[in-house]
Amino acid sequence: MALMTPQEYIESLRKLKTRVYMFGEEIKNWVDHPMIRPSINCVAMTYALAQDPQYADLMTVKSSLTGRTVNRFTHLHQSTEDLINKVKMQRLLGQKTASCFQRCVGMDAFNAVFSSTYEIDEKYGTHYHENFKNFITMVQDNDLTVDGAMTDPKGDRSKAPSAQADPDMYVHVVERRPDGIVVSGAKCHQTGSINSHWHIFMPTISMGEADKDWAVSFACPTDAEGMYMIYGRQSCDTRKLEEGASIDVGNAKFGGQEALVVLDNVFIPNEYIFLNGEYEFAGMIVERFAGYHRQSYGGCKVGVGDVVIGATALAAEYNGVEKASAVKDKLIEMTHLNETLYCCGIACSSQGFKTKAGNYQIDLLLANVCKQNVTRFPYEIVRLAEDVAGGLMVTMPSQKDFESDTVVGRNGETIGDICNKFFAAREGVSTEDRQRIMRFLENMCLGAAAVGYRTESMHGAGSPQAQRIMIARQGNIQGKKQLAKDIAGIK
């Protein structure tokens, strides 16, 4: 099958029997639901750009398994150039959507599970790697979107999976059959889960022998029997349900999506199992996936940051302060922070190395430095955006007020007339354009898009302390102490 078009992707979702719940009710036509459709449009952009010849080098690549042209989101990295192009592709998509385009978690899961299954088979003589190669070939040939599901609810975080009062706090095997396994549990905060054709489930922490039933990784179709999703809320999300609120939404076309993914005794055939009780490899999958995903943030958040900086510059221009030295300095600082994130993404990619399985992995230390910066810099970027934009960003009347024909003035002025008069921009700029850029910045800084640009920057791919733990492990303090001893003459 050739690369899918955006339209083919959207129609392929309609064919699934995915169970989606929102506000306590099942959503039958979730593909066209106004709160969900913007996130589908984001994923569709990954298909649209792959069809555009000017982006072919970034968006498509020859498969290492079949030699056929595939979407880079389904690719197994074969060089440091591949790793760098991944980051460039993610920046491009951030620029095109100003949102989370949701396909990165699957790509990062592919590469982590590919190399890990090779080493599990090497030790135990299992067939997980062959299972995974068959699966990823199917994904590539059909240009599928796959969600990478890692984060468990965790329950009491002071206790291991096997010690939880409720065993479902971590996804686990409840029954082993000759033809497969039955699994139960849930995954939280799952980006793009509803919009995916398949899911790859992975462990979320390192495990001990007592946790072997929780040391499980597998692939599962999104509409498998016993699997369903409960849609997560976002700030200002119901604006998407309002009539005549296309401006108030801020970003009417694109958006992100997170859900609770529940596995209620779901059967997984043997051919889709990639880990089943080999507990000592759970940590390897976690570490490798986290490394790839922390690299990803050096691309996607940078692309979104580009749009935030552009919107901030427009707000300054519309307010008539673009020439003020303080405003120029703030834009310089925003650009400096954003490009620093990009530098980290490119650096950890350029220092990548070949795994035993043959695909390439990023430099783990630099990937964790990248994500540590991502937990901070987007917050400062949006703070500066709010500084430049001013209070109108969050106090402006609604779009309906600007369009209202209700008479309120002594001379027959309508509410719309009054709003357009007193919220006018500089000469030559329409009030509506100013209104649009303010609402867009509100969406990015505080609204629905802040989920993907702010909080996800903090907790996605691991919270800040997770990166600090990895930096401590990878930082080679003992080797650096020896460098100092050698120079200082200490034996």
Side-chain angles (χ1 to χ4, degrees):
M1 181 177 174
L3 295 169
M4 271 204 281
T5 66
Q7 294 74 26
E8 287 170 338
Y9 162 68
I10 293 170
E11 291 308 310
S12 73
L13 296 180
R14 298 188 193 280
K15 298 175 183 177
L16 299 176
K17 299 177 181 178
T18 307
R19 292 166 61 193
V20 180
Y21 297 87
M22 181 193 296
F23 300 142
E25 298 178 351
E26 185 171 6
I27 307 298
K28 293 296 186 181
N29 181 14
W30 52 270
V31 175
D32 297 308
H33 193 282
M35 280 180 59
I36 301 175
R37 186 53 181 265
S39 64
I40 294 175
N41 292 340
C42 269
V43 182
M45 184 62 77
T46 70
Y47 290 93
L49 295 183
Q51 299 284 334
D52 191 329
Q54 69 177 310
Y55 301 122
D57 289 344
L58 281 186
M59 297 301 305
T60 64
V61 65
K62 294 293 183 182
S63 168
S64 58
L65 300 175
T66 67
R68 293 187 283 271
T69 298
V70 299
N71 193 299
R72 190 176 292 278
F73 278 103
T74 69
H75 184 49
L76 299 169
H77 312 304
Q78 297 300 299
S79 63
T80 54
E81 182 182 13
D82 272 348
L83 293 171
I84 290 169
N85 281 337
K86 170 198 170 186
V87 174
K88 290 181 177 180
M89 172 183 71
Q90 291 167 318
R91 184 172 191 172
L92 171 67
L93 276 152
Q95 292 170 341
K96 295 292 185 180
T97 64
S99 297
C100 174
F101 35 92
Q102 303 149 66
R103 215 171 167 187
C104 305
V105 281
M107 170 177 53
D108 294 336
F110 296 152
N111 282 274
V113 174
F114 181 79
S115 62
S116 298
T117 52
Y118 183 91
E119 295 183 40
I120 300 168
D121 287 358
E122 189 178 52
K123 180 173 181 178
Y124 286 108
T126 46
H127 301 285
Y128 300 142
H129 192 62
E130 194 63 30
N131 287 352
F132 186 77
K133 285 200 295 184
N134 291 335
F135 170 71
I136 190 64
T137 298
M138 181 268 291
V139 168
Q140 290 181 346
D141 285 348
N142 292 280
D143 200 9
L144 300 179
T145 292
V146 179
D147 179 57
M150 176 167 280
T151 305
D152 294 273
K154 298 186 180 73
D156 183 345
R157 299 185 182 209
S158 69
K159 296 180 179 179
S162 57
Q164 296 290 323
D166 184 345
D168 285 345
M169 290 299 102
Y170 291 79
V171 170
H172 62 112
V173 178
V174 295
E175 183 182 357
R176 288 184 171 88
R177 302 176 184 175
D179 57 344
I181 57 176
V182 177
V183 295
S184 182
K187 294 289 185 178
C188 297
H189 325 301
Q190 291 309 296
T191 300
S193 58
I194 294 169
N195 300 342
S196 298
H197 302 100
W198 281 70
H199 282 58
I200 290 182
F201 289 83
M202 299 167 286
T204 193
I205 58 172
S206 298
M207 298 185 183
E209 186 173 3
D211 306 314
K212 63 193 309 181
D213 286 341
W214 288 263
V216 61
S217 178
F218 54 88
C220 178
T222 300
D223 59 355
E225 184 177 354
M227 183 170 166
Y228 57 91
M229 287 86 167
I230 301 174
Y231 198 83
R233 291 216 65 173
Q234 297 177 330
S235 177
C236 307
D237 53 6
T238 52
R239 288 189 185 186
K240 298 172 185 176
L241 302 176
E242 299 174 13
E243 293 184 8
S246 59
I247 294 176
D248 284 350
V249 168
N251 185 347
K253 187 173 183 180
F254 300 110
Q257 173 210 112
E258 297 77 30
L260 174 69
V261 179
V262 180
L263 298 166
D264 184 7
N265 288 345
V266 177
F267 176 70
I268 308 298
N270 283 327
E271 60 263 35
Y272 296 124
I273 298 174
F274 313 132
L275 179 73
N276 185 11
E278 295 82 9
Y279 62 89
E280 65 267 47
F281 285 93
M284 175 184 287
I285 295 175
V286 173
E287 185 175 284
R288 291 182 179 181
F289 171 79
Y292 284 121
H293 209 44
R294 290 165 190 172
Q295 168 213 22
S296 289
Y297 282 35
C300 64
K301 302 308 176 198
V302 177
V304 176
D306 288 331
V307 186
V308 174
I309 294 167
T312 305
L314 281 172
E317 181 181 323
Y318 293 173
N319 288 339
V321 297
E322 76 275 16
K323 295 181 180 179
S325 59
V327 170
K328 290 180 179 178
D329 191 61
K330 288 177 173 64
L331 290 170
I332 290 169
E333 179 63 10
M334 294 167 79
T335 302
H336 163 72
L337 294 171
N338 205 45
E339 296 303 331
T340 300
L341 297 180
Y342 188 57
C343 290
C344 289
I346 295 297
C348 70
S349 303
S350 67
Q351 296 299 303
F353 60 93
K354 192 174 185 178
T355 68
K356 287 184 177 182
N359 65 327
Y360 269 65
Q361 184 170 312
I362 41 72
D363 182 289
L364 282 172
L365 173 60
L366 296 181
N368 280 277
V369 171
C370 177
K371 178 55 176 48
Q372 183 76 181
N373 286 336
V374 171
T375 67
R376 303 173 183 177
F377 293 178
Y379 283 82
E380 179 63 8
I381 289 171
V382 295
R383 188 190 72 80
L384 291 168
E386 293 173 12
D387 183 358
V388 173
L392 185 61
M393 184 185 78
V394 292
T395 64
M396 187 166 51
S398 72
Q399 181 176 345
K400 288 185 178 180
D401 288 313
F402 279 85
E403 297 170 353
S404 173
D405 58 4
T406 300
V407 176
V408 292
R410 68 180 67 182
N411 296 318
E413 299 95 340
T414 65
I415 292 176
D417 293 332
I418 297 301
C419 287
N420 280 282
K421 173 181 178 178
F422 288 108
F423 293 113
R426 68 182 302 169
E427 188 176 350
V429 177
S430 71
T431 306
E432 181 180 317
D433 284 349
R434 187 186 189 208
Q435 184 186 3
R436 285 183 179 278
I437 210 64
M438 290 297 178
R439 285 298 187 211
F440 176 77
L441 282 169
E442 179 192 37
N443 172 257
M444 296 303 309
C445 299
L446 305 165
V451 174
Y453 189 58
R454 285 170 59 108
T455 312
E456 187 184 70
S457 291
M458 178 70 75
H459 289 290
S463 58
Q465 195 58 33
Q467 290 103 60
R468 299 186 77 81
I469 291 170
M470 288 303 299
I471 290 169
R473 289 180 187 171
Q474 301 286 331
N476 190 19
I477 296 297
Q478 293 304 318
K480 291 169 182 171
K481 285 163 65 175
Q482 189 59 51
L483 294 176
K485 284 183 177 181
D486 291 345
I487 294 173
I490 299 174
K491 295 182 181 180

